[in-house]
Amino acid sequence: MNDLRAVPPILEVKGLSKRYVMNAGFWQQLTRRPPDLLHAVDDVSLRIAPGEIFGLVGESGSGKSTLGRCLLRLVEPTAGQVLFRGVDILQLPRAQMQGMRRKLQIIFQDPYSSLNPRMTVRQMLGEVLAVHRLCPPHRVEARVRELLHLVGLPADAVDRFPRHFSGGQRQRIGIARALAMEPEFIVADEPVSAVDVSIQAQVLNLLIDLKAQLGLTMLFIAHDLSVVQHISTRVGVMYMGKLVEMAPRRLLFSQPRHPYTQGLLLAAPQPDPFHHSTRVALEGEPPSPLHPPAGCRFHTRCPLASDRCRQAPPPLQEIGEGHWVACHHHDLAVWPPPAATPWAA
Amino acid sequence: MSEPSTAVVGRVNDWGLRWREARWLQQPALLVGGGLLLAMVLASLLAKQISPYDPIAQNLSNTLQPPGPVHWFGTDNFGRDIFTRVLHAVQLDLQIGVLSVLFPMVLGLFLGSLAGYLGGWVETVVMRVVDVFTAFPFLVMVIAIIAILGPGLTSMYVALTLAGWSAYARIARGEILVIKKAEYVQAARALGFSNLRIMFRHILPNIVTPAIIFAMSDIVLVILSTTSLSFLGLGVQPPTPEWGSMIAEGRPFIMTAWWLVTLPGMAIVLVGLGLSLLGDGLADVLRTEE
């Protein structure tokens, strides 16, 4: 995993942007006022090697989910490329894209809204198998049971409706539905943030098992660094649509270089009742994404902000082996911070 | 992999399934409402056995008899037995009620779903047309359309469809806007399903519930408005027995022979009660299913 450039990536994102046009109402059109633009994802590039679990972390509104959905074209990006095994899927015509969807699947955040309330588990999984002719009709029943077994659900779950299951069980059904397509790449869009803490570990372990068993590659989206720490091989951190830091997991947790990443690590709760944080990790709210600050978008909250940060946006540059940071002052960002308990990597 | 809790799932769900099967029978409103309507339909099917009188033939030597053992609901100004006429009208009135709700419901659901799902200019066009139709008072529009087409059953259906579809289009669009964002619709897209399949298998089954519940109360309103149309002479034409036209014909005698107007009116009340109860019961059953 250390030399990523040696392996051809299974998925490569180049300069991906998604802009939403806001306020394009009748009055705006009439007065010809330029509409407000919201940059949900702004010029993000990354490569994911086969077998990797790439953890993508950011606050809500940072564009991480939009990025994940762009990879499947559930949201059409405004600019950029998404290369899956060298093919730009954004250029594929509709018919070919439907074929490509077999290879790319998604697990959703909310297990309560991601399952059709009027379909039994058998109908849900059977529909996938039948529409894509993934197995002959007489094998469908057996394959459905196989999938349920794979995600650790009892065989008698087949005739139940989603309302009969707990959140964790529903999430397993969602995973089984994605696996029915026999995908090579899965976007896991905060798959554990809506389930009970006690169930989170079970679902995470299931995903790790499945990854090993089926040789999956995953983009794992989370708003919480501690979740990503367990599961990913590499981690990327997003802030207001920009990728601000990207590194192999150990490196990111032991030597974070971006002040925002450091702030996130400091903000994470410590399992130590006597621990008192000696300084406020991140101050203030992120500014409005409709009017992002000039220069570095983080400068309004950054302890190291200088005039340079207010004027020029820092490029994402490689400062070490596979360690990318977008910060003018990454060499000033000391870690561990003085007088604070170091984060245990 | 963690151990799934088989035992718990099994027990809860077996119970759940049994409960589901029996739930239809646990709704008193549903049973009473359905029973009431069923009884009325049965009575009208057996009208010839129940009552010996002819609903249309006049008997001018026997006019305006008060209710009694011979004529249960009395007779009208042409000497016809009112009970017989009320019975014979059940089928026609229910048919009018159901059809005049079914047509606008289908049309409205179709256009509203299209608007909600496709969005963009389709939505703008459909919803502005809906606004125009909603802006007209219901009865005024119905009367105007019937005036253009000429009185009769067919033009009444056409008029009620044109005047009534907009409410269903609004319901459908509103529901679709919510459900379109539901992750299971996104999932269906990610799974590479066609738009048609997403529309009919994943979206429509989840939006018909509110439309059906609204339709139940709408039938009552439609029957009432068709009776007012008949009252105005624009709906069912005499001598065909229909509650509205019976009330219209009895109006001049309301001070001297109350039964001409009141007893057909009671039939309308009963049907309305039955449908309201049925609608309430259906609402409970269909909503708890989600």
Side-chain angles (χ1 to χ4, degrees):
Chain A
M1 211 54 59
N2 282 331
D3 197 0
L4 287 164
R5 269 153 295 196
V7 198
I10 186 170
L11 189 107
E12 183 169 6
V13 177
K14 282 186 185 168
L16 193 79
S17 294
K18 174 64 188 175
R19 281 194 307 273
Y20 287 101
V21 180
M22 312 297 283
N23 290 332
F26 179 69
W27 186 246
Q28 260 74 17
Q29 286 170 21
L30 205 68
T31 53
R32 306 265 169 128
R33 235 178 59 188
D36 292 328
L37 291 178
L38 189 148
H39 293 260
V41 178
D42 195 0
D43 194 19
V44 169
S45 300
L46 51 89
R47 326 168 99 203
I48 300 178
E52 257 198 303
I53 296 187
F54 187 94
L56 190 62
V57 180
E59 290 167 300
S60 38
S62 62
K64 54 194 193 306
S65 282
T66 308
L67 176 64
R69 279 163 202 229
C70 282
L71 302 189
L72 281 84
R73 287 180 71 183
L74 289 179
V75 169
E76 291 288 342
T78 322
Q81 288 181 304
V82 176
L83 303 169
F84 180 75
R85 296 201 180 280
V87 182
D88 186 359
I89 64 163
L90 300 182
Q91 301 302 323
L92 289 181
R94 198 183 152 75
Q96 284 180 42
M97 186 59 213
Q98 298 299 63
M100 191 57 89
R101 292 199 186 281
R102 273 200 55 189
K103 309 283 175 207
L104 296 162
Q105 273 305 304
I106 181 166
I107 299 165
F108 289 94
Q109 171 178 9
D110 181 0
Y112 290 89
S113 100
S114 64
L115 305 177
N116 187 338
R118 292 186 184 275
M119 289 172 93
T120 63
V121 173
R122 184 205 307 274
Q123 288 170 329
M124 252 183 271
L125 300 180
E127 183 180 35
V128 177
L129 299 173
V131 167
H132 293 281
R133 299 196 179 81
L134 293 168
C135 69
H138 67 275
R139 283 267 305 134
V140 166
E141 184 67 30
R143 177 69 180 143
V144 167
R145 281 165 200 277
E146 206 174 288
L147 286 166
L148 288 180
H149 181 72
L150 200 60
V151 297
L153 282 173
D156 64 354
V158 285
D159 287 318
R160 315 253 186 260
F161 287 90
R163 62 173 176 277
H164 294 131
F165 296 96
S166 68
Q169 289 171 323
R170 282 166 179 245
Q171 201 53 287
R172 287 169 194 268
I173 298 170
I175 294 171
R177 184 176 58 187
L179 292 179
M181 297 280 268
E182 299 162 30
E184 296 174 25
F185 186 89
I186 289 188
V187 174
D189 187 3
E190 304 200 34
V192 296
S193 30
V195 297
D196 284 351
V197 180
S198 55
I199 310 294
Q200 286 188 0
Q202 287 182 22
V203 175
L204 286 179
N205 288 338
L206 173 67
L207 286 175
I208 292 172
D209 283 349
L210 290 172
K211 185 229 152 200
Q213 233 174 318
L214 307 172
L216 295 170
T217 309
M218 237 184 266
L219 176 73
F220 189 98
I221 300 170
H223 60 238
D224 182 354
L225 271 171
S226 61
V227 170
V228 160
Q229 193 182 14
H230 288 290
I231 193 164
S232 28
T233 47
R234 268 196 310 148
V235 179
V237 179
M238 277 184 85
Y239 184 75
M240 293 190 72
K242 288 270 193 195
L243 202 55
V244 296
E245 183 161 14
M246 177 165 68
R249 179 189 52 173
R250 277 179 199 290
L251 209 54
L252 189 109
F253 282 93
S254 61
Q255 297 167 44
R257 276 279 157 263
H258 197 283
Y260 178 62
T261 315
Q262 297 183 348
L264 283 183
L265 285 174
L266 282 175
Q270 301 280 339
D272 173 6
F274 300 105
H275 169 82
H276 293 286
S277 190
T278 45
R279 76 176 204 207
V280 182
L282 280 175
E283 282 176 12
E285 296 281 312
S288 158
L290 278 178
H291 308 286
C296 175
R297 291 185 180 182
F298 187 57
H299 81 246
T300 52
R301 298 166 79 189
C302 182
L304 303 176
S306 66
D307 283 343
R308 192 178 165 206
C309 303
R310 285 181 258 279
Q311 281 147 18
L316 188 68
Q317 47 188 333
E318 190 166 16
I319 56 157
E321 184 103 4
H323 193 159
W324 297 73
V325 180
C327 180
H328 292 309
H329 303 300
H330 60 81
D331 40 354
L332 297 178
V334 195
W335 189 265
T341 315
W343 175 266
Chain B
M1 201 174 300
S2 57
E3 199 59 40
S5 50
T6 321
V8 175
V9 178
R11 183 156 40 77
V12 169
N13 289 332
D14 282 346
W15 188 79
L17 279 180
R18 254 177 250 135
W19 180 67
R20 198 172 111 78
E21 280 157 12
R23 209 157 26 150
W24 295 87
L25 302 175
Q26 290 177 356
Q27 294 290 336
L30 193 76
L31 292 180
V32 173
L36 197 62
L37 291 175
L38 200 68
M40 291 181 81
V41 171
L42 273 180
S44 86
L45 288 175
L46 298 173
K48 288 203 171 61
Q49 280 69 40
I50 293 174
S51 145
Y53 305 103
D54 187 301
I56 292 171
Q58 305 186 355
N59 179 0
L60 293 177
S61 61
N62 195 27
T63 59
L64 298 177
Q65 296 296 313
V70 186
H71 297 289
W72 292 350
F73 283 10
T75 62
D76 65 8
N77 51 325
F78 295 110
R80 298 173 294 199
D81 181 60
I82 291 178
F83 182 66
T84 314
R85 284 173 66 74
V86 167
L87 276 191
H88 278 88
V90 170
Q91 287 180 56
L92 181 62
D93 273 287
L94 276 183
Q95 181 200 324
I96 291 172
V98 170
L99 289 186
S100 334
V101 162
L102 195 68
F103 293 146
M105 182 164 134
V106 170
L107 182 68
L109 282 184
F110 178 74
L111 289 175
S113 317
L114 223 57
Y117 188 68
L118 296 179
W121 65 268
V122 180
E123 183 175 26
T124 311
V125 169
V126 172
M127 294 325 287
R128 290 304 79 78
V129 174
V130 165
D131 286 345
V132 170
F133 273 82
T134 322
F136 277 102
F138 183 76
L139 265 183
V140 172
M141 179 152 52
V142 171
I143 290 170
I145 296 171
I146 293 180
I148 296 169
L149 297 175
L153 256 187
T154 319
S155 39
M156 199 166 79
Y157 286 141
V158 173
L160 287 170
T161 304
L162 287 178
W165 67 278
S166 54
Y168 292 95
R170 281 225 161 125
I171 294 178
R173 172 176 166 271
E175 290 291 316
I176 285 210
L177 287 187
V178 174
I179 284 178
K180 205 165 69 164
K181 299 228 173 67
E183 286 186 333
Y184 63 84
V185 174
Q186 298 254 324
R189 287 180 56 207
L191 291 165
F193 296 159
S194 64
N195 270 338
L196 271 182
R197 173 175 286 273
I198 296 176
M199 191 78 206
F200 284 99
R201 288 272 292 163
H202 296 265
I203 295 183
L204 266 184
N206 288 296
I207 66 161
V208 288
T209 304
I212 288 176
I213 292 163
F214 179 74
M216 283 301 147
S217 50
D218 202 24
I219 293 180
V220 184
L221 292 176
V222 162
I223 289 182
L224 283 177
S225 43
T226 55
T227 52
S228 16
L229 287 178
S230 301
F231 183 87
L232 294 171
L234 294 170
V236 179
Q237 299 300 306
T240 313
E242 197 275 332
W243 299 331
S245 49
M246 289 170 73
I247 293 173
E249 286 171 42
R251 189 179 48 88
F253 306 96
I254 195 161
M255 301 304 287
T256 49
W258 55 270
W259 54 92
L260 262 63
V261 173
T262 313
L263 296 175
M266 286 302 296
I268 297 177
V269 170
L270 269 188
V271 166
L273 191 67
L275 285 168
S276 304
L277 288 172
L278 195 68
D280 280 355
L282 270 183
D284 285 347
V285 169
L286 291 174
R287 285 208 172 121
T288 45
E289 213 165 80
E290 276 154 27

